[in-house]
Amino acid sequence: MTAAGDGPWLDDAAGRLVRPFTVSNGRTRPTIALDLLSQVMVTGATPLGYLGLEHTQALDLCRAPVSVAEIAAHLKLPAAVTKVVLSDLVDCGALTTKPPEFTHNPTDRALLEAVLDGLRRQL
């Protein structure tokens, strides 16, 4: 187990010891609409005020455009919590967002069948 000052409290067997919603101060909704495929990137502006560890880590991950889903995976946080953290950073001007661009229709039957076939081959 890590010490209190050594980042997120983790236990090898139990995982994160701090509830994810403490990261967002109990908030469950971001102030802006973010899709899991939305791209976020740092603006270069320095955020004023206190940033939590997850906010700082998110900024480090966003030096190049990255999706909300990827950030959630790297931070090991639920997507809902990650969206709140990212919206905090957008609100203070430290991040900018870009909606996902779909080159294919996401509900295209042929595309969905190809994805399903690929997943089946992996199992």
Side-chain angles (χ1 to χ4, degrees):
M1 184 161 26
T2 62
D6 293 339
W9 294 352
L10 299 174
D11 180 273
D12 292 336
R16 184 182 286 266
L17 298 177
V18 175
R19 296 277 184 208
F21 290 97
T22 59
V23 172
S24 62
N25 293 325
R27 292 173 294 141
T28 58
R29 297 193 190 277
T31 57
I32 61 168
L34 288 171
D35 185 275
L36 287 177
L37 299 177
S38 295
Q39 299 285 306
V40 291
M41 185 174 174
V42 294
T43 62
T46 304
L48 301 175
Y50 172 76
L51 289 180
L53 175 64
E54 288 79 5
H55 290 81
T56 304
Q57 290 173 335
L59 281 175
D60 288 341
L61 292 169
C62 297
R63 294 187 192 281
V66 63
S67 72
V68 172
E70 289 178 74
I71 295 168
H74 283 290
L75 295 179
K76 297 180 179 155
L77 288 173
V81 175
T82 302
K83 288 178 181 182
V84 172
V85 168
L86 294 175
S87 73
D88 289 346
L89 293 169
V90 170
D91 290 345
C92 73
L95 286 182
T96 186
T97 66
K98 182 178 172 188
E101 293 179 12
F102 294 108
T103 56
H104 299 285
N105 178 357
T107 58
D108 178 33
R109 184 174 180 90
L111 176 63
L112 294 174
E113 286 177 355
V115 170
L116 184 59
D117 290 341
L119 290 172
R120 285 183 179 145
R121 280 191 296 252
Q122 295 296 320
L123 297 176

